[in-house]
Amino acid sequence: RTPAKVGLVQRDRRRHAHQRQRNRVNAAFGLGLLADPNTPPSYLTRVIQNEAFSDGLRGGAAWSLYKIQEAAAEKAPFAAAWQTILDQPLESTNANVSVSAIRGLGQRRREADADIIKRYVSHPVPKVRQAAAVALGRLGVRSTHEALLALIGPAEDNPNVRLTARKALQELSGGIDRG
């Protein structure tokens, strides 16, 4: 082989690898758009947990799993995946994956999930803190009010997080704005 042919072969391999990655991202996204409740969560869960895949693919798979959960009558099969993700150290998981996992647990509206979600009000990424506030408001567990109060205090510099926390506190108080 000549050096030119070797270069062409290597370029084609890189292009095909990039195309495969793009196909995976599109397939994961398509599953979310379809939101077919009969889609087994195991495929997307494996993609989310595989650190060899790109953050974009893993985040898209988590979003898709959340959208499928929304359409499913039974939410329990999704809880194990979300709990596994959220049991990791705060900053070890991609923020988009964390947001979908928090939303997924919050959607179940189970008081037992409050402690897992409450950890994420101190996450360094604002959209994760915001998702945690929404989920805590949905759960309706009044004992989480202190975590939400921390998000409206002076230490929180993101106005969207503060507003979301305020709305979550309003939800905890029965829809009455006491602020």
Side-chain angles (χ1 to χ4, degrees):
R1 291 186 175 182
T2 66
K5 282 187 177 182
V6 169
L8 288 174
V9 168
Q10 289 174 341
R11 187 188 73 205
D12 284 348
R13 285 183 182 157
R14 282 192 304 270
R15 187 177 55 201
H16 290 304
H18 179 71
Q19 182 63 40
R20 280 192 306 274
Q21 176 71 10
R22 193 169 44 214
N23 288 346
R24 288 182 184 126
V25 170
N26 290 339
F29 183 65
L31 287 172
L33 289 175
L34 291 172
D36 182 354
N38 296 317
T39 303
S42 59
Y43 165 74
L44 291 169
T45 301
R46 283 195 310 271
V47 170
I48 294 165
Q49 293 172 341
N50 187 338
E51 293 184 13
F53 288 132
S54 71
D55 285 347
L57 174 56
R58 294 173 67 219
W63 174 83
S64 293
L65 189 61
Y66 171 70
K67 297 307 278 182
I68 293 166
Q69 177 185 342
E70 277 186 323
E74 181 58 42
K75 313 284 187 217
F78 301 89
W82 300 138
Q83 288 169 339
T84 300
I85 291 163
L86 295 176
D87 281 341
Q88 302 299 315
L90 284 185
E91 295 181 47
S92 69
T93 303
N94 169 298
N96 292 327
V97 171
S98 294
V99 166
S100 293
I102 291 166
R103 287 177 178 165
L105 278 186
Q107 187 182 70
R108 287 175 11 128
R109 291 182 164 84
R110 293 196 53 218
E111 189 173 330
D113 296 330
D115 287 336
I116 296 171
I117 295 169
K118 201 164 41 170
R119 291 180 45 225
Y120 283 82
V121 299
S122 63
H123 196 278
V125 178
K127 67 181 173 182
V128 176
R129 294 192 305 273
Q130 196 169 1
V134 169
L136 290 173
R138 281 188 181 155
L139 292 177
V141 179
R142 290 185 180 219
S143 64
T144 62
H145 74 280
E146 289 182 19
L148 291 168
L149 284 171
L151 292 177
I152 63 171
E156 178 55 61
D157 62 350
N158 187 294
N160 291 329
V161 174
R162 285 196 307 268
L163 177 63
T164 303
R166 183 177 173 158
K167 288 181 178 183
L169 283 164
Q170 183 176 347
E171 199 167 332
L172 285 182
S173 68
I176 300 167
D177 187 355
R178 300 183 193 275

